[in-house]
Amino acid sequence: MDCVFCKIVRHELPAEILYENDKVIAILDINPIHYGHALVIPKTHCLDFLSVKESDLHDVLHVTQKVARAIVTTLKLEGFNIFSNNGRIAGQSVFHFHMHITPRYPDDNIKFVLQLKSYDGGAMAEYADKIRHHIL
Ligand code: 5GP
Ligand code: ZN
């Protein structure tokens, strides 16, 4: 499989491995938002958050917490972000599911540029209703 994270999982490509167990590997991101930016990756290939097996997701989240604690302690952080990009339009560039953990610092000027909306009339209830119908 020609997937960069699968190659890292198989130790065919070099990576700064922070932690690994039989299901999950955590590495430093090669192009960090801030130094210490880490990626937590299930060892079994899957495309994204929607397709990751429930038990792998559980293991990834568990390791994300473990590694985030270590990053916070090491870098004496006041805060950090965890996130996952899903789909090219959302910024995903490696199509093997992973969580990002990135340190945050005061005035680091990292932000989504958001124009927040409000719901008109019954739109909020309509959206909630439609989404509820698709929850399996
Ligand atoms: P995405 O854009 O899919 O949310 O995140 C993919 C991340 O993987 C990017 O932040 C990118 O810097 C990182 N990345 C891509 N290739 C490699 C690699 O070969 N080694 C490491 N350590 N990180 C990589
Ligand atoms: Zn893969």
Side-chain angles (χ1 to χ4, degrees):
M1 167 103 58
D2 194 27
C3 164
V4 68
F5 288 172
C6 283
K7 286 181 181 160
I8 288 172
V9 164
R10 295 195 299 263
H11 297 180
E12 290 168 12
L13 273 183
E16 264 326 318
I17 298 172
L18 300 174
Y19 175 86
E20 71 178 315
N21 62 27
D22 55 334
K23 299 284 183 206
V24 180
I25 190 166
I27 62 172
L28 284 183
D29 194 300
I30 203 165
N31 292 130
I33 293 172
H34 287 300
Y35 289 168
H37 178 169
L39 304 171
V40 185
I41 304 164
K43 288 194 168 179
T44 303
H45 181 89
C46 62
L47 181 64
D48 61 12
F49 182 77
L50 294 185
S51 57
V52 63
K53 211 171 69 170
E54 203 174 313
S55 64
D56 282 344
L57 181 60
H58 177 273
D59 292 337
V60 164
L61 281 179
H62 184 228
V63 172
T64 300
Q65 187 185 50
K66 195 189 263 301
V67 173
R69 281 195 182 119
I71 293 171
V72 165
T73 303
T74 307
L75 302 176
K76 300 180 174 52
L77 300 179
E78 288 174 31
F80 63 96
N81 290 109
I82 56 172
F83 62 93
S84 158
N85 298 322
N86 289 271
R88 205 177 295 281
I89 198 171
Q92 187 173 7
S93 62
V94 176
F95 293 87
H96 176 143
F97 172 63
H98 52 282
M99 296 294 301
H100 293 255
I101 308 168
T102 189
R104 295 302 305 270
Y105 295 99
D107 305 320
D108 64 8
N109 215 22
I110 295 167
K111 45 174 85 92
F112 282 110
V113 181
L114 299 177
Q115 287 186 308
L116 298 181
K117 302 178 167 78
S118 339
Y119 287 102
D120 293 328
M124 193 172 185
E126 270 173 41
Y127 270 79
D129 235 19
K130 285 188 201 162
I131 294 166
R132 272 193 291 265
H133 271 95
H134 287 95
I135 291 181
L136 303 171

